[in-house]
Each structure stands twice: as structure tokens, then as C-alpha cells.
Amino acid sequence: MKEKYASFKGRATRAEYWYFVLFHFLILIGGMIVGAILGATLSGGDGDVAVGVMLFVYGVIVLGLLCPSISVLVRRLHDTGRSGWWYWINLIPYIGAIVILVFTLLESQDCDNEYGPYVRY
């Protein structure tokens, strides 16, 4: 993630993409736990304040990982031979997310394409 934090060029293998998704999920869950503990500690028993602190921590993490999330998805689309502009199909409720899910589950193109060389791991 450090090398390609905001790189929209190149390709991301299926494993690279799904490991990032797993990392992102674990960081969000950990952030929610830390935010809940911090909120419970700082709130003095007020549940609304505790939830607010948890949501604040969650929001900071989401904003911090927004650019890498988009870039790894664009690189994954490149790996399947599609333009990164396919990202915007996410704006179509339900159907867009299903289409992106299918694209991320597809195998990589096993040849060089316009987005970069094929790398076999």
C-alpha cells in the first residue's frame, strides 16, 4: 500500500485487491472498537457522545483510506482489461455494485494490455 497509495496506473491482481479489501475491513473494525472504547471512556456514561466519538474515528479512517481504495479498484479494473472509468458505475444503486463485484472476481488478462505488463505470481 505504501508504494501505490494513490497510483491509478498499472494493474492490481485479484489477490492484491482482495487482500487490500481484507486489510481495509480489519482496519475499520479495529477503528470502530477503538472509537467505542474511547467514546465510552470520554463520554462519562452518555451513549450519544460515545457513538459520536466512534463515528468520528470511523469517518477519519474512511477518509484516510478513500484514495487508496479507489486506486486499487481502478488498477483491478485495469487488470481485467477495463478502463478505470468503469468505477463510476458504482453510482447506479445496487446494479453498479454488483457489476463491480463481478469485475473484481474475474481473472486477470493473461497477457500484456494497455495498462501494463502481465505479471505472474
Side-chain angles (χ1 to χ4, degrees):
M1 188 168 120
K2 289 190 296 187
E3 303 142 5
K4 298 180 181 180
Y5 180 82
S7 174
F8 292 85
K9 295 181 180 180
R11 298 168 69 161
T13 62
R14 200 170 20 179
E16 180 182 348
Y17 175 77
W18 287 108
Y19 279 124
F20 178 82
V21 170
L22 176 64
F23 166 78
H24 192 183
F25 176 75
L26 293 175
I27 292 295
L28 286 175
I29 295 297
M32 286 177 59
I33 291 169
V34 168
I37 292 169
L38 193 62
T41 304
L42 296 176
S43 70
D46 187 3
D48 291 339
V49 172
V51 170
V53 170
M54 182 187 69
L55 290 177
F56 177 77
V57 170
Y58 181 81
V60 167
I61 293 170
V62 166
L63 287 176
L65 291 175
L66 182 64
C67 187
S69 298
I70 295 171
S71 70
V72 76
L73 177 58
V74 166
R75 287 185 281 114
R76 178 68 194 128
L77 291 169
H78 287 172
D79 196 45
T80 62
R82 289 169 181 77
S83 168
W85 290 102
W86 273 99
Y87 172 80
W88 295 105
I89 200 167
N90 275 319
L91 294 177
I92 301 172
Y94 305 110
I95 294 181
I98 292 170
V99 169
I100 291 295
L101 176 65
V102 169
F103 286 166
T104 59
L105 292 173
L106 292 174
E107 289 188 30
S108 303
Q109 280 188 326
D110 58 351
C111 59
D112 294 351
N113 64 20
E114 61 185 292
Y115 304 106
Y118 173 67
V119 178
R120 179 170 290 207
Y121 290 100

